[in-house]
């Protein structure tokens, strides 16, 4: 890429003379030692990071080196693909070395593959991160247009074929997704292709029932004609000593008129066919094998209870010995006389969910109101190198209950859908399992067979004709977009279900519902966390200091629905006549009137902020809003059934990021304080802290920890913030300084910094406690809301300010702090939630505090 922005590629000779990468790497090739400390290579930008399973002989088995990484860098003149030394893996796994940053390559080497003749690669051994976000990438319009440096001019016969979709220095044939192993990743995966018309002789086929009866006596079976009724996510079973090129596996439940049976897609066939074999597809199978079924795996729940399930055997589709022949029959060519079963679903409403027993399976459809950030949790039972599950929390409403579906959705090998879930869209989740814990609302967690669909992916799915889906669509016609949008929330710290009221530990083994560690071990636990990994631990000690820190909202707009609007949403009331006539709502129609104190305070505060910070205001007309926004909520066939949304009211907005230390006017219904902060210390703290061996301070509140309002204008940015950092840089990425993006937290005005002294009084930690103050906070859903007296201890024990309602209570945090004296010398157990947010950012939250009277031993 030339600096003037032209897309023509410079000649190789020009690049060699002007590119720091070419100059430095050519000097490296000429060095006799094949190792060079590069001091003048300059700064380069990271364009792409790619992960693959390491070689067994290359590294021992541990978290740091089970995987290897290739990194693509550019200096603005050319790009180069290099290996990354294993000791730098942790920089990637903690999202410090990431795409879109500038680094300085301080040392690299020229490494031969000792098992391949004439094969070598550049390996980066030492780097320094110098700019976040990248300065170099700002001036590049098309990274793909830059030439790729190669070693074709190296001395001797050394050549390195530049394989775009395969590692440069090992025998591995493909890359894995950067943050999990469930998602298909790379250009090698064949996308979904519409089936072609074929002429088949289906007169000689075998039924599923006959297949089970004859599988031991027949070597080569007749063709099968079946329909896919369930599909599992991909399973990557590769290990360090795996010699299979594509160690993948996927299960399908298929059926004909005689019953259902499992079908397994193996290895390279997953790459070729996984995207093309979808629920509802009709297949004609040849050259398959039949073997006894693996009994320990999970199985889907059949939607039709009358269908007979054959579970003793399974169909295997292999890439060789023999090579399976798979034919997808176009829907228009499927004949009724084949008597293939239809795909059936068991859709459940949020009202019916309460009556379902634990571990039962259901399908749901709902309008998304909350989407949590993508996180990872360690999978302790995994025998393969990948030790993490990827998941996110979602709330969705369907109008049948005041309580939304609470969904724990794990990655389902549908990355384009999983990472695209956002508020104000319709979400369908199949094969969800019911989970219950005593005293809490039931929630749904995904299974291996769960499939998810959202806006843009519903077309052609079998569930579109389901009566409950049609009923849901009718309900959405009654909604006001402006009302639902005010309830739309994204991101923040979230976990469900709430912690139990009693902490349990076993006397014999010491095992507890949550691992109990010493306060001094918390630092080690944090250091072991990888990017977006969540972990919950318990420590015992006493609370010796608490401080309230005010963090007011900049905007004076109310953050939640009014009581009447919430009732309209839940009841599905029709839109107002004014809306039906095309008349926009006025603020008076939709917003509760602020008190006279607030009315007098707002103009002065806004004027002062405008003078002090130079804030620009935006005045959005109705036409401008329609131009900027997306329709609610879908763009496929459902959109034809959804009535047009209500007009948005004109709104005056302020840009800017909230800053600590700015007082907010007290208003009715808001958690506010006339002081910048309030604090308390125990009588012994001043003496004890002088004798501490360690005092860890993790009391900085990150913006990523606070749920924020969702807007269509900032949709792309908000999704990027709450998804994982991308493996490849794209020009549409916004700067990390959030310039031009308004931070609008949900029902949040401040937080508590809590100091916990370890039980042996040698170590202390400072952590963050953010109580729930409003029903608008997603954490309030399913939270036991027994009334309490709002003492500091009761708030720490319950997690919320009492009572919870649509409008937060008018509580002065200083009054809460004044009750802290009851914590003096009390022995407590603190549940602490840890999450690594990437780079140097970590989240250490106090989840719940137990008194010793709330601890039981069994």
């Amino acid at each position: 890429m030339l600096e003037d922005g032209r897309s023509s590629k410079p000649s190789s000779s020009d690049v060699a003379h002007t590119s720091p990468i070419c100059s430095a790497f050519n000097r490296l090739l000429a060095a006799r030692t094949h190792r060079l400390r590069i001091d003048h290579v300059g700064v380069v930008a990271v364009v792409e990071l790619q992960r693959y399973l390491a070689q067994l002989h290359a590294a021992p088995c541990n978290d740091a080196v089970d995987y290897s990484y290739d990194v693509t860098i550019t200096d603005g003149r050319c790009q180069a693909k290099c290996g990354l030394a294993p000791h730098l893996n942790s920089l990637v796994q903690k999202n410090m070395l990431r795409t879109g940053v500038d680094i300085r390559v301080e040392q690299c080497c020229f490494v031969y593959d000792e098992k391949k003749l004439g094969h070598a690669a550049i390996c980066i051994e030492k780097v320094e991160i110098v700019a976040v976000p990248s300065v170099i990438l700002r001036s590049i319009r098309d990274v793909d247009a830059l030439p790729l440096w190669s070693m074709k001019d190296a001395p001797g016969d050394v050549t390195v074929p530049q394989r775009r979709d395969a590692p440069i220095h090992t025998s591995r044939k493909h890359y894995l997704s950067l943050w999990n192993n469930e998602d298909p990743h790379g250009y090698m995966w064949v996308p979904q292709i519409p089936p072609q018309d074929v002429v088949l002789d289906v007169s000689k086929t075998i039924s599923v029932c006959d297949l089970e009866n004859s599988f031991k006596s027949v070597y080569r079976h007749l063709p099968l004609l079946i329909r896919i009724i369930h599909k599992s996510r991909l399973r990557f079973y590769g290990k360090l000593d795996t010699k299979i090129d594509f160690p993948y596996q996927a299960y399908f439940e298929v059926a004909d008129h005689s019953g259902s049976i499992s079908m397994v897609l193996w290895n390279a066939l997953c790459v070729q066919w996984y995207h093309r074999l979808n629920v509802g597809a009709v297949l004609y199978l040849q050259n398959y094998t039949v073997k006894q079924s693996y009994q320990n795996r999970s199985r889907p729940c059949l939607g039709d209870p009358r269908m007979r399930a054959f579970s003793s055997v399974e169909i295997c589709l292999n890439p060789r010995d023999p090579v399976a022949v798979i034919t997808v029959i176009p829907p228009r060519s499927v004949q009724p006389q084949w008597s293939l079963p239809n795909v059936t679903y068991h859709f459940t409403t949020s009202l019916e969910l309460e009556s379902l027993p634990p571990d039962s399976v259901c399908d749901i459809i709902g309008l998304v109101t909350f989407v949590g950030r993508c996180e990872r949790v360690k999978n302790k039972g995994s025998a393969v190198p990948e030790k993490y599950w990827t998941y996110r929390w979602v709330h969705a409403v369907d109008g049948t209950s005041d309580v939304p579906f609470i969904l724990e959705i794990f990655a389902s090998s549908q990355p384009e859908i999983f990472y695209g879930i956002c508020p104000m869209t319709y979400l369908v989740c199949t094969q969800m399992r019911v989970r219950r814990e005593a005293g809490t609302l039931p929630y749904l967690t995904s299974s291996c067979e769960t499939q998810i669909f959202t806006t843009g992916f519903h077309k052609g799915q079998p569930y579109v004709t389901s009566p409950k889906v049609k009923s849901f669509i009718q309900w959405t016609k009654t909604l006001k977009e402006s009302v639902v949008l005010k309830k739309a929330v994204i991101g923040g710290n979230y976990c469900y279900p709430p912690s139990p009221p009693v902490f349990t530990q076993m006397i014999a083994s010491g095992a507890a519902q949550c691992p109990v560690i010493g306060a001094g071990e918390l630092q080690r636990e944090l250091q072991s966390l990888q990017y977006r990994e969540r972990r919950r631990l318990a420590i015992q000690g006493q609370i010796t200091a608490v401080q309230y820190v005010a963090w007011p909202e900049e905007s004076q707009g109310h953050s939640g629905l009014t009581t009447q609007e919430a009732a309209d949403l839940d009841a599905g009331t029709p839109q107002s006549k004014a809306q039906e006539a095309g008349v926009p709502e006025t603020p008076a129609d939709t917003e509760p009137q602020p008190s006279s104190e607030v009315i007098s305070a707002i103009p002065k505060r806004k004027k002062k902020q405008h003078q002090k910070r130079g804030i620009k205001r935006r005045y959005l007309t109705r036409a401008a809003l329609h131009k900027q926004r997306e329709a609610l909520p879908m763009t496929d066939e459902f959109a034809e059934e959804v009535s047009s949304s209500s007009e948005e009211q004109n709104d005056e907005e302020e840009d800017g990021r909230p800053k600590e230390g700015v007082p907010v006017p007290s208003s009715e219904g808001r958690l506010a304080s006339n002081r910048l902060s309030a604090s308390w210390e125990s009588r012994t703290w001043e003496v004890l802290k002088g004798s501490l061996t360690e005092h860890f301070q993790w009391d900085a509140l990150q913006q990523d920890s606070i749920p924020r309002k969702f807007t269509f204008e900032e949709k792309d940015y908000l999704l990027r913030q709450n998804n994982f950092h991308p493996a490849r840089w794209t020009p549409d990425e916004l700067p990390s300084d959030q310039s031009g993006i308004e931070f609008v937290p949900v029902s949040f005005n401040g937080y508590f910094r809590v100091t916990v002294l370890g039980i042996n009084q040698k170590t202390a930690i400072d952590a963050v406690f953010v109580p729930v103050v409003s029903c608008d906070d997603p954490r309030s859903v399913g939270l036991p809301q027994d009334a309490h007296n709002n003492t500091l201890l009761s708030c720490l024990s319950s997690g919320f300010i009492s009572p919870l309602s649509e409008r937060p209570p008018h509580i002065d945090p200083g009054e809460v702090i004044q009750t802290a004296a009851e914590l003096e010398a009390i022995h407590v157990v603190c549940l602490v939630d840890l999450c690594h947010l990437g780079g140097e950012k970590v989240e250490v939250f106090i989840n719940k505090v137990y008194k010793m009277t709330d601890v039981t031993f069994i």
Side-chain angles (χ1 to χ4, degrees):
M1 175 63 66
L2 299 179
E3 293 184 2
D4 61 2
R6 290 177 290 167
S7 60
S8 59
K9 293 185 179 181
S11 66
S12 58
S13 60
D14 291 338
V15 172
H17 285 89
T18 61
S19 168
I21 287 178
C22 290
S23 175
F25 289 176
N26 286 338
R27 286 191 293 119
L28 180 60
L29 293 180
R32 294 184 178 180
T33 61
H34 299 305
R35 184 176 296 274
L36 177 68
R37 186 179 183 87
I38 300 178
D39 298 320
H40 307 291
V41 69
V43 176
V44 296
V46 180
V47 176
E48 188 168 15
L49 282 165
Q50 295 168 298
R51 181 177 68 114
Y52 58 95
L53 196 62
Q55 295 289 88
L56 179 62
H57 66 273
C61 296
N62 59 66
D63 284 352
V65 293
D66 283 342
Y67 297 97
S68 298
Y69 297 87
D70 287 345
V71 54
T72 301
I73 57 177
T74 181
D75 54 13
R77 296 290 298 170
C78 79
Q79 52 182 330
K81 187 174 179 180
C82 309
L84 196 68
H87 67 269
L88 299 180
N89 284 4
S90 61
L91 295 180
V92 179
Q93 292 163 351
K94 293 184 179 296
N95 203 38
M96 296 178 179
L97 177 61
R98 59 185 184 268
T99 59
V101 304
D102 287 340
I103 62 173
R104 181 178 291 108
V105 180
E106 297 183 340
Q107 184 173 331
C108 61
C109 65
F110 185 49
V111 180
Y112 285 94
D113 189 331
E114 297 181 355
K115 292 190 175 184
K116 285 189 176 181
L117 299 179
H119 191 97
I122 298 291
C123 179
I124 296 176
E125 295 183 316
K126 189 175 181 180
V127 299
E128 178 187 359
I129 301 172
V130 296
V132 182
S134 169
V135 176
I136 294 174
L137 292 174
R138 291 178 185 174
S139 59
I140 301 177
R141 297 181 183 178
D142 186 5
V143 175
D144 292 333
L146 299 178
L148 186 65
W149 179 86
S150 66
M151 288 183 280
K152 60 183 179 181
D153 297 326
D157 296 327
V158 177
T159 58
V160 177
Q162 295 292 344
R163 298 174 296 174
R164 187 180 185 185
D165 201 35
I168 62 175
H169 197 60
T170 76
S171 60
R172 303 298 185 195
K173 301 296 185 182
H174 68 100
Y175 288 113
L176 299 166
S177 176
L178 186 58
W179 302 116
N180 67 39
N181 287 347
E182 288 79 34
D183 293 340
H185 175 79
Y187 305 99
M188 65 177 184
W189 291 84
V190 178
Q192 182 176 350
I193 301 174
Q196 301 295 319
D197 290 329
V198 292
V199 177
L200 297 171
D201 180 10
V202 298
S203 60
K204 296 182 178 180
T205 59
I206 188 172
S207 69
V208 168
C209 179
D210 293 338
L211 190 66
E212 185 191 47
N213 295 331
S214 64
F215 90 98
K216 289 184 179 181
S217 59
V218 179
Y219 174 73
R220 190 173 294 273
H221 301 276
L222 290 174
L224 264 175
L225 189 63
I226 43 88
R227 187 191 298 274
I228 298 175
I229 56 176
H230 291 291
K231 177 180 180 179
S232 77
R233 64 170 173 249
L234 280 170
R235 175 177 174 261
F236 176 79
Y237 64 89
K239 300 180 182 180
L240 296 180
D241 58 351
T242 297
K243 295 182 180 180
I244 299 173
D245 290 339
F246 303 99
Y248 287 97
Q249 178 194 70
Y251 282 93
F252 300 81
E253 200 70 18
V254 298
D256 64 6
H257 65 279
S258 65
S260 69
I261 191 172
S262 293
M263 178 182 77
V264 188
L265 196 65
W266 286 98
N267 303 332
L269 286 184
C270 289
V271 176
Q272 184 180 358
W273 286 98
Y274 184 77
H275 285 312
R276 302 160 68 182
L277 303 183
N278 294 311
V279 174
V282 175
L283 307 182
Y284 184 76
L285 301 182
Q286 304 171 79
N287 287 5
Y288 58 88
T289 61
V290 181
K291 69 173 186 178
Q292 286 189 330
S293 177
Y294 180 67
Q295 297 297 320
N296 291 333
R297 70 172 177 87
S298 66
R299 296 183 182 275
C301 179
L302 300 180
D304 185 356
R306 297 169 299 177
M307 181 179 292
R308 185 179 177 185
F310 299 96
S311 59
S312 62
V313 297
E314 61 189 20
I315 302 166
C316 294
L317 303 180
N318 299 293
R320 64 173 186 265
D321 301 329
V323 179
V325 179
I326 307 171
T327 304
V328 180
I329 301 177
R332 60 181 174 272
S333 300
V334 177
Q335 302 300 315
Q337 58 266 29
W338 296 349
S339 301
L340 295 176
N342 293 322
V343 180
T344 56
Y345 293 90
H346 184 233
F347 277 98
T348 298
T349 66
S350 57
L351 182 62
E352 297 168 338
L353 182 61
E354 182 66 33
S355 60
L356 294 183
D359 294 327
S360 57
V361 177
C362 65
D363 312 310
I364 67 99
I365 182 171
L367 174 62
V368 177
T369 56
F370 163 70
V371 177
R373 66 194 179 203
C374 291
E375 294 181 346
R376 302 193 296 164
V377 63
K378 183 163 286 190
N379 175 25
K380 297 180 180 179
S382 176
V384 298
E386 180 56 44
K387 299 177 175 65
Y388 296 95
W389 292 113
T390 294
Y391 71 99
R392 72 190 322 165
W393 289 94
V394 175
H395 290 177
V397 295
D398 66 356
T400 64
S401 170
D402 293 337
V403 180
F405 290 112
I406 306 172
L407 309 172
E408 183 184 31
I409 303 178
F410 287 84
S412 56
S413 303
Q414 301 169 284
E416 68 284 355
I417 301 178
F418 180 80
Y419 297 114
I421 301 175
C422 70
M424 307 297 287
T425 57
Y426 296 162
L427 176 68
V428 170
C429 298
T430 65
Q431 292 292 302
M432 301 291 286
R433 296 189 181 275
V434 179
R435 292 288 183 263
R436 289 178 179 271
E437 294 197 14
T440 64
L441 296 175
Y443 68 100
L444 298 171
T445 187
S446 54
S447 64
C448 290
E449 298 81 24
T450 292
Q451 295 277 286
I452 57 176
F453 303 94
T454 187
T455 299
F457 296 92
H458 295 288
K459 187 175 182 179
Q461 297 300 330
Y463 55 74
V464 296
T465 58
S466 171
K468 287 191 176 179
V469 171
K470 292 183 177 181
S471 176
F472 170 80
I473 294 299
Q474 292 298 317
W475 169 72
T476 62
K477 294 181 180 181
T478 68
L479 302 180
K480 301 178 183 180
E481 182 185 85
S482 58
V483 171
V484 182
L485 187 60
K486 290 175 185 176
K487 205 72 174 178
V489 180
I490 189 169
N493 176 286
Y494 182 90
C495 191
Y496 194 86
S499 300
V502 176
F503 187 87
T504 303
Q505 186 173 29
M506 298 179 65
I507 298 177
S509 64
Q513 63 193 40
C514 181
V516 182
I517 66 169
E521 299 177 65
L522 205 56
Q523 171 76 356
R524 184 186 62 194
E525 295 288 338
L526 274 172
Q527 291 175 344
S528 68
L529 291 178
Q530 292 194 19
Y531 173 56
R532 288 282 180 87
E533 179 185 352
R534 172 181 282 274
R535 194 177 303 171
R536 176 171 292 176
L537 301 167
I539 58 175
Q540 56 178 328
Q542 55 184 295
I543 297 174
T544 56
V546 181
Q547 181 185 20
Y548 177 80
V549 180
W551 193 13
E553 295 177 89
E554 289 290 331
S555 172
Q556 291 297 314
H558 292 277
S559 60
L561 301 176
T562 64
T563 303
Q564 183 58 47
E565 287 170 336
D568 291 344
L569 174 59
D570 294 330
T573 57
Q575 299 178 7
S576 65
K577 293 182 179 180
Q579 287 180 307
E580 294 174 350
V583 179
E585 297 178 41
T586 63
D589 293 328
T590 60
E591 295 286 344
Q593 295 296 320
S595 64
S596 59
E597 178 186 0
V598 176
I599 293 176
S600 63
I602 289 175
K604 295 179 182 180
R605 181 168 177 257
K606 286 190 175 182
K607 182 177 180 180
K608 182 177 180 180
Q609 290 174 345
H610 182 73
Q611 293 173 346
K612 190 172 182 179
R613 305 181 187 176
I615 297 297
K616 294 182 179 180
R617 303 187 182 193
R618 297 180 293 168
Y619 296 88
L620 300 180
T621 64
R622 187 174 19 165
L625 277 170
H626 273 290
K627 186 176 181 180
Q628 294 180 22
R629 307 185 58 163
E630 300 179 9
L632 169 69
M634 305 178 72
T635 57
D636 53 19
E637 78 286 350
F638 282 140
E640 299 176 0
E641 299 182 61
V642 181
S643 59
S644 56
S645 304
S646 61
E647 302 291 348
E648 272 296 292
Q649 61 187 19
N650 294 339
D651 192 18
E652 175 184 342
E653 299 181 3
E654 285 190 47
D655 294 330
R657 176 178 171 178
K659 298 182 177 180
E660 290 189 11
V662 180
V664 60
S666 297
S667 61
E668 181 182 356
R670 288 194 177 274
L671 179 63
S673 176
N674 293 326
R675 294 170 288 177
L676 299 184
S677 64
S679 61
W680 166 85
E681 289 186 359
S682 70
R683 294 189 298 270
T684 59
W685 176 232
E686 190 65 32
V687 176
L688 290 174
K689 65 182 177 181
S691 60
L692 294 176
T693 57
E694 293 176 308
H695 188 174
F696 301 111
Q697 296 178 316
W698 300 299
D699 55 356
L701 184 66
Q702 308 292 338
Q703 278 197 5
D704 295 352
S705 302
I706 303 301
R708 60 197 298 173
K709 286 294 182 180
F710 175 82
T711 65
F712 284 114
E713 293 79 12
E714 297 168 355
K715 170 186 171 182
D716 292 340
Y717 170 78
L718 293 174
L719 287 179
R720 280 195 297 270
Q721 289 295 103
N722 290 283
N723 290 331
F724 293 136
H725 195 85
R728 182 172 178 82
W729 177 83
T730 54
D732 60 346
E733 290 185 28
L734 295 181
S736 60
D737 61 1
Q738 303 184 17
S739 56
I741 302 297
E742 182 179 9
F743 181 79
V744 184
V746 176
S747 301
F748 174 74
N749 293 90
Y751 63 99
F752 293 88
R753 291 173 174 167
V754 180
T755 300
V756 181
L757 180 65
I759 192 65
N760 289 319
Q761 300 184 349
K762 295 180 180 180
T763 306
I765 66 167
D766 293 345
V768 170
F769 173 65
V770 183
V772 178
V773 299
S774 167
C775 291
D776 291 337
D777 192 324
R779 296 177 300 162
S780 68
V781 177
L783 187 69
Q785 297 181 15
D786 298 332
H788 60 82
N789 56 5
N790 284 327
T791 64
L792 182 57
L793 180 58
S794 66
C795 292
L796 288 167
S797 300
S798 65
F800 68 95
I801 301 292
S802 180
L804 281 180
S805 62
E806 289 290 339
R807 295 178 60 80
H810 181 61
I811 301 292
D812 188 332
E815 298 175 359
V816 176
I817 292 290
Q818 289 177 2
T819 66
E822 65 177 314
L823 292 171
E824 190 77 47
I826 290 183
H827 184 184
V828 297
V829 175
C830 298
L831 291 191
V832 182
D833 286 339
L834 314 178
C835 188
H836 192 289
L837 301 180
E840 300 293 339
K841 296 190 299 182
V842 295
E843 180 181 88
V844 182
F845 265 43
I846 299 290
N847 176 274
K848 185 178 179 65
V849 171
Y850 295 94
K851 296 183 294 184
M852 291 306 293
T853 54
D854 297 326
V855 175
T856 183
F857 301 93
I858 57 175

